[in-house]
Amino acid sequence: MIKNINNIKINYEQKGEGELVVLLHGWGSNIKLFANLIELLSTKYRVVAMDMPGFGDSEEPPSAWCVDDYVDFVIDFLKDMNAEKVTLLGHSFGGRVIIKLNSRKDLPFEINKVILVDSAGILPPKSNKKSFRTYYYKFGKAVLSTGIAQKIAPDALENFRKKMGSADYAAASPLMRQVLVKVVNEDLEPLLPNIKCPTLLIWGVNDAATPLSDGEKMEKLIPDAGLVKLENAGHYSFLDQQFTFNRVMSSFMKLD
């Protein structure tokens, strides 16, 4: 289905009836990966999942958004859902949005439960190697951005960005790269105590993108949180260990 939110065409799916459950996907992902979750949760709840602006089949945002802009978008998207209570589930980047959403005042709905799956939001400690890499990237970008360099080797800057950037950065459009830079450099750790509702944390033990230590830190900082660790699972734990993940979800959401 397509919905127009603030002049941005948004692709979304809605299934089931009952209390609202909203699913927010990770960076570079889309609602297709939530197919199993939508089927599972829609047996008892009204489930809504949307391709956030810049992902899947939704249009890009009009400018380089930060996390707060995505929070505004989610609030606007849910305005006509007429929901008094909402359960929020976010994977990776979607978790960032949910963490910030819980710090907003005067929301038009009550957040009933939160589920964070391999969530982003905690800045990793900077090593000397990473600091040097950042300096090298900024220096190289400055050199290759000059008029002379652009004339001699017009593709050099783009190739350098792809080589130095992450896989997410290389795959993103120029606008979404600006979004990514804004998003990953914001530390949401101080906001975690603002999540007051029951919170389920589900983490892949082998997650290399948002390590298990992030989940353990979130469990300590969120007042009413419990962490479930899934063995033999990585950053997409809900896909890597789907059977076990579904059992955990069924228990937390009282589907049994």
Side-chain angles (χ1 to χ4, degrees), residues 92-124:
S92 193
F93 170 65
R96 285 185 190 273
V97 178
I98 289 172
I99 291 169
K100 278 223 127 175
L101 188 58
N102 275 266
S103 291
R104 289 292 183 90
K105 307 294 184 184
D106 303 321
L107 287 171
F109 50 80
E110 177 187 341
I111 302 176
N112 193 35
K113 292 180 180 179
V114 163
I115 303 161
L116 299 177
V117 183
D118 301 293
S119 178
I122 294 178
L123 283 182

Side-chain angles (χ1 to χ4, degrees), residues 40 43-44 246-256:
L40 177 72
T43 58
K44 183 177 179 179
N246 285 359
R247 288 185 63 184
V248 173
M249 285 295 299
S250 295
S251 176
F252 187 69
M253 296 300 292
K254 295 180 170 54
L255 297 177
D256 299 329

Side-chain angles (χ1 to χ4, degrees), residues 154-169:
D155 297 328
L157 178 58
E158 182 63 17
N159 293 334
F160 179 71
R161 280 173 169 158
K162 289 181 178 179
K163 181 180 178 181
M164 294 297 295
S166 65
D168 284 337
Y169 187 87

Side-chain angles (χ1 to χ4, degrees), residues 5-6 8 10 24-28 50-55 58-78 93-94 96-98 100-101 104 175-180 182-183 186:
I5 303 294
N6 301 331
I8 305 172
I10 299 299
L24 302 182
H25 61 74
W27 185 273
M50 81 284 290
D51 286 337
M52 289 190 283
F55 304 99
S58 292
E59 292 182 336
E60 290 190 348
S63 60
W65 279 9
C66 62
V67 181
D68 276 309
D69 293 315
Y70 279 95
V71 172
D72 291 337
F73 158 76
V74 172
I75 294 171
D76 288 342
F77 183 95
L78 297 177
F93 170 65
R96 285 185 190 273
V97 178
I98 289 172
K100 278 223 127 175
L101 188 58
R104 289 292 183 90
L175 175 62
M176 294 308 291
R177 287 177 183 175
Q178 295 177 53
V179 174
L180 181 60
K182 284 186 175 183
V183 164
E186 185 172 1

Side-chain angles (χ1 to χ4, degrees), residues 19-20 45 85-88 110-114 197-199:
E19 194 172 293
L20 186 62
Y45 299 96
K85 293 185 177 181
V86 177
T87 293
L88 299 171
E110 177 187 341
I111 302 176
N112 193 35
K113 292 180 180 179
V114 163
C197 61
T199 302

